[in-house]
Amino acid sequence: MSVTKRFWLLVVWGFSCVTATNAQKTSAIWLDDLPIKSFSEGIPAVLPKTTAAGDSIVMRGQYFNRGVGVNATSILAFFLDGKATEITATVGVDDKGIKELPHTFYVIGDRKILFDSGEMRLGDVPKNVTVKLNGIKRLGLLVKVDDAGRTKLYSNWANARLVMLAGHRPENIPNSDEKYILTPAPAPSPRINSAAVFGARPGNPFLYTIAATGERPMRFSAKGLPTGLLLDEKTGIITGKVSLPGTYPVTIRAKNAHGEATKLLKIKIGDTIALTPPIGWNGWNSWARNIDQEKVVASADAMVKMGLSQHGWTYINIDDAWQGKRGGKFNAIQPNEKFPKFREMVDYIHGLGLKVGVYSTPMITSYAGYIGGSSDLENGDFPDSIQANKRAFRYVGKYRFETQDARQLAAWGIDYLKYDWRIDVPSAERMSAALKQSGRDIFYSISNSAPFANVNDWVRLTNSYRTGPDIRDSWNSLYVSAFTLDKWAPYGGPGHWNDPDMMILGNVTTGTQLHPTRLTPDEQYSHVSLFSLLAAPLLIGCPIEQLDAFTLNLLTNDEVIEIDQDPLGKSARLVLTENGVQIWLKPLEDGSFAVGLFNVGDFGKTPESYFRWGDETAKPYTFDLAKAGLKGNYRLRDVWRQKDLGVFERTFKTEIRHHGVVLLRLFPYTPKSVTTARP
């Protein structure tokens, strides 16, 4: 063979090898083969290979075997790190969607809109999408719908797939920002942190724990306790019963080797309980259906061991999946086999100075498929025929058992009831009456998405009511759940609290397996701050024993908790929005104000704003006190840092991190001489 021929053969062979190598460099990945729920930062369901309702994907009569079905405004975020080359899909409104509402599909890469479908409605021809992704690090798939709270807004990313370099797959958006700790550790001397007001009904069992930080051992005392109450000086637990209605001022005291602390506690015996929002733990976002007695006891022990109980954290609430069948003295719901010693468990938790809650529903079956508070069978049986088709029995049955169930809860010593799933006013009213007649003060919380149109009924009947859908651990969900609650604010107050759902901190199971919250550290500070400003229930949904130092620090700032537990019980109002900053103002009982300055950016105003791109920066901001309705001079305190900032008039300059907060407490200041500090 000649040298020339050998040369050209080598060239052809080399070209073939390069071509083959290039062909092997990419692979197609179907989005429906990914754990797609983990990529969703929206609120409604996202499902692979079906619509969001679990039906076949059908658009304009055409069936699709592959794809991702979404509902309402949907946010899917992927970290590609420059390892993808293309995305293809066919997009449109599902044939089971709502006709009149337009959906707009976007493909966004590194802040640039790469595809915009324009408005699409049910019946429109689906559109094919092919977008090159070379070099793109972060990818966002957005479906924008002005849903106004409506559901069944089904749309689809049919046949959606990514082409990526071989050996690479899309990952979740990194959440590796520094978990910076702002709050100093508690002093060794005592500080009393429990609520300054407590309500109970005449003749009902009374349980109040003096929560105090400081070095142990510690001794507790109380002056002015009404007749019928006793204080355990070692534990600070006050128990008993008070027969006579009235307001009783009590001075409580905690003392250790470093000093002592006192606090005025107002005990109000009357018709109204829940004079401050509940603060504690709920098991659903920790363990969902896998909850059992061992996990509940471990959570109670951890609440004490981790020190949360010293900061006022009180409730240990068992969510869905504890229920067995009807029986016992009252023919009431009994615990299932996962809770073999239910009453003993309740007594043990009470012995720790904590309270216990459970879950139920007025429907035949609960969300998780367990027995509910009604039945189509007169004796309330729960036969295999119902258990085999649980979803078909999500309605209120002919026969209802509110009275029996409430009496059983009281007999066990239950302190809290979460009553769940599309509550109607008659169901809420029946259980409200049953609880009041049970002989025990049981905090009454209704869930899920109590309609605003009935808010006066919720105020009249319940102690808290869910103001929106189930929360997810994303900024979008937090924003929808909390930053839109201004219209609810006038209705919340002592005895009846606006409830934006559980807190999404620590390790959570909101739709996927247990994982660290996807909120950034800045967003977590905003989360705790706003819930406290709103006087919302503070119910963490993470395994307490798994708390890291950052999350524990978030949950144990007593000045933040004090804002939530303020006896005046007023919710903050949104008083100003400017330059991407929201200002929420809350009046407090002592005449001071709590103010949250939140950098929400332009969230929701542009397609790009729904995603986190990794290049966000802090915003300098000048807080004009007069614009917030605050006139005169104020002494400002940084609540998270527990640090006085000085006296200011007119303006206060600061910097707010992206999706972060500056939480202030403002005390009116009248100087003897004009010595105001200016920024």
Side-chain angles (χ1 to χ4, degrees):
M1 183 182 296
S2 67
V3 173
T4 302
K5 187 174 182 180
R6 186 180 298 111
F7 169 79
W8 283 111
L9 284 173
L10 289 171
V11 169
V12 171
W13 177 81
F15 178 80
S16 299
C17 289
V18 170
T19 302
T21 300
N22 286 338
Q24 294 173 357
K25 280 186 177 179
T26 62
S27 61
I29 298 174
W30 294 96
L31 262 59
D32 55 43
D33 282 338
L34 298 172
I36 197 63
K37 288 183 179 181
S38 72
F39 294 94
S40 172
E41 298 189 3
I43 300 172
V46 174
L47 295 178
K49 298 184 177 70
T50 71
T51 70
D55 300 317
S56 298
I57 295 175
V58 186
M59 296 183 290
R60 200 177 168 89
Q62 181 182 356
Y63 283 77
F64 296 83
N65 295 323
R66 307 298 303 253
V68 173
V70 301
N71 185 6
T73 294
S74 169
I75 306 164
L76 296 171
F78 305 89
F79 184 64
L80 305 178
D81 198 25
K83 302 298 191 299
T85 62
E86 186 178 74
I87 183 171
T88 58
T90 300
V91 301
V93 180
D94 193 85
D95 283 1
K96 289 191 176 181
I98 294 179
K99 186 173 184 179
E100 66 270 19
L101 288 180
H103 298 57
T104 305
F105 295 77
Y106 297 94
V107 177
I108 309 168
D110 294 344
R111 287 193 183 273
K112 296 180 181 178
I113 297 177
L114 307 177
F115 171 81
D116 178 347
S117 71
E119 292 187 350
M120 299 184 69
R121 288 176 167 81
L122 190 151
D124 288 351
V125 176
K127 294 185 178 182
N128 293 322
V129 181
T130 300
V131 175
K132 298 298 181 183
L133 299 176
N134 301 84
I136 296 294
K137 292 185 176 295
R138 299 185 184 214
L139 174 70
L141 302 182
L142 172 69
V143 181
K144 187 72 177 72
V145 190
D146 186 10
D147 53 62
R150 282 174 281 188
T151 58
K152 300 182 180 179
L153 310 181
Y154 305 132
S155 54
N156 306 305
W157 295 90
N159 291 339
R161 64 179 189 171
L162 285 163
V163 179
M164 300 197 67
L165 299 182
H168 294 278
R169 295 175 67 82
E171 299 176 0
N172 296 114
I173 298 297
N175 189 8
S176 55
D177 293 354
E178 178 191 0
K179 292 184 174 181
Y180 57 98
I181 289 177
L182 297 180
T183 302
S189 56
R191 185 187 195 277
I192 298 176
N193 303 310
S194 44
V197 62
F198 185 80
R201 296 189 180 101
N204 284 358
F206 185 105
L207 175 61
Y208 175 95
T209 300
I210 302 174
T213 49
E215 188 176 285
R216 265 48 181 182
M218 188 177 292
R219 292 285 178 174
F220 299 91
S221 61
K223 183 178 180 180
L225 279 179
T227 301
L229 297 185
L230 294 174
L231 167 67
D232 185 321
E233 66 175 14
K234 293 182 179 179
T235 64
I237 300 173
I238 301 174
T239 56
K241 295 180 180 180
V242 182
S243 300
L244 297 178
T247 298
Y248 301 88
V250 179
T251 301
I252 53 178
R253 177 175 279 102
K255 185 177 182 180
N256 68 7
H258 299 277
E260 68 177 32
T262 61
K263 186 172 187 175
L264 178 63
L265 166 65
K266 290 183 180 179
I267 295 177
K268 295 186 176 183
I269 305 299
D271 294 332
T272 305
I273 63 171
L275 299 181
T276 59
I279 173 171
W281 174 86
N282 178 287
W284 184 257
N285 285 351
S286 297
W287 307 114
R289 294 169 177 84
N290 296 321
I291 193 71
D292 58 34
Q293 182 170 308
E294 184 178 358
K295 293 183 178 70
V296 172
V297 171
S299 299
D301 286 337
M303 185 170 281
V304 175
K305 183 178 179 180
M306 301 290 282
L308 287 172
S309 62
Q310 297 178 19
H311 299 269
W313 295 86
T314 300
Y315 286 93
I316 297 292
N317 292 342
I318 309 165
D319 210 283
D320 205 351
W322 69 272
Q323 312 94 306
K325 294 188 176 184
R326 292 198 169 275
K329 177 180 177 181
F330 305 103
N331 191 33
I333 298 173
Q334 300 298 303
N336 58 37
E337 67 282 354
K338 296 188 295 180
F339 293 85
K341 296 183 178 180
F342 195 85
R343 178 57 194 261
E344 291 89 338
M345 175 192 71
V346 173
D347 290 344
Y348 175 79
I349 295 172
H350 282 163
L352 298 175
L354 305 176
K355 297 186 177 182
V356 185
V358 296
Y359 167 106
S360 192
T361 173
M363 299 191 180
I364 295 175
T365 60
S366 70
Y367 174 80
Y370 291 81
I371 191 171
S374 66
S375 177
D376 286 336
L377 303 173
E378 188 173 4
N379 61 359
D381 279 353
F382 198 59
D384 293 342
S385 58
I386 293 179
Q387 297 182 53
N389 192 15
K390 300 166 185 175
R391 294 180 67 91
F393 293 91
R394 287 185 181 173
Y395 61 88
V396 178
K398 179 180 178 181
Y399 301 98
R400 298 179 291 269
F401 301 90
E402 292 92 355
T403 299
Q404 294 92 321
D405 289 342
R407 288 176 178 173
Q408 180 66 83
L409 297 183
W412 281 330
I414 295 299
D415 306 291
Y416 185 112
L417 173 65
K418 176 180 176 179
Y419 210 45
D420 189 36
W421 204 248
R422 299 173 186 167
I423 299 297
D424 58 281
V425 173
S427 293
E429 190 150 24
R430 288 191 300 270
M431 181 52 82
S432 177
L435 292 174
K436 288 177 181 177
Q437 295 166 10
S438 70
R440 187 174 182 85
D441 294 342
I442 300 177
F443 186 101
Y444 181 32
S445 168
I446 62 166
S447 173
N448 148 323
S449 295
F452 181 71
N454 301 115
V455 65
N456 289 313
D457 290 311
W458 313 137
V459 168
R460 173 175 61 91
L461 297 171
T462 76
N463 300 124
S464 70
Y465 39 88
R466 277 279 299 280
T467 53
D470 288 348
I471 200 169
R472 298 287 183 264
D473 58 317
S474 70
W475 175 256
N476 172 70
S477 183
L478 175 62
Y479 189 90
V480 170
S481 297
F483 283 93
T484 60
L485 289 193
D486 188 57
K487 71 176 183 179
W488 291 85
Y491 300 95
H496 46 87
W497 305 102
N498 301 320
D499 178 11
D501 201 10
M502 290 172 281
M503 306 184 79
I504 39 176
L505 302 167
N507 295 329
V508 292
T509 56
T510 52
T512 60
Q513 293 181 341
L514 197 66
H515 62 277
T517 181
R518 292 178 295 172
L519 294 183
T520 67
D522 295 315
E523 292 168 349
Q524 293 180 62
Y525 275 109
S526 289
H527 178 13
V528 179
S529 299
L530 187 55
F531 270 46
S532 296
L533 287 164
L534 293 173
L538 304 181
L539 296 173
I540 52 176
C542 52
I544 303 173
E545 61 273 22
Q546 297 179 16
L547 289 176
D548 62 8
F550 171 77
T551 311
L552 186 62
N553 189 260
L554 274 177
L555 298 173
T556 53
N557 183 312
D558 298 306
E559 296 186 24
V560 176
I561 296 172
E562 189 174 60
I563 292 171
D564 178 79
Q565 298 287 295
D566 184 70
L568 188 62
K570 292 284 188 180
S571 172
R573 301 302 303 269
L574 177 59
V575 296
L576 184 65
T577 300
E578 62 176 2
N579 302 323
V581 173
Q582 288 190 4
I583 299 178
W584 290 77
L585 177 77
K586 174 183 173 73
L588 302 174
E589 186 188 43
D590 66 355
S592 66
F593 297 90
V595 178
L597 313 177
F598 296 90
N599 177 5
V600 299
D602 293 321
F603 184 77
K605 295 182 179 179
T606 66
E608 303 94 314
S609 68
Y610 285 90
F611 300 91
R612 181 157 47 88
W613 303 108
D615 58 359
E616 292 82 4
T617 58
K619 177 191 290 290
Y621 183 71
T622 299
F623 174 33
D624 188 325
L625 278 69
K627 286 185 179 181
L630 299 168
K631 297 181 180 179
N633 302 330
Y634 289 87
R635 176 171 60 85
L636 271 59
R637 183 167 174 83
D638 183 323
V639 180
W640 279 111
R641 292 178 173 83
Q642 299 182 351
K643 178 181 179 182
D644 287 328
L645 302 176
V647 178
F648 294 82
E649 63 172 337
R650 294 196 296 274
T651 60
F652 168 70
K653 292 183 178 180
T654 187
E655 187 175 77
I656 315 172
R657 295 166 71 108
H658 179 72
H659 288 179
V661 62
V662 173
L663 183 61
L664 303 169
R665 189 155 177 179
L666 280 64
F667 299 87
Y669 181 79
T670 304
K672 294 180 180 178
S673 59
V674 181
T675 57
T676 50
R678 297 173 185 267

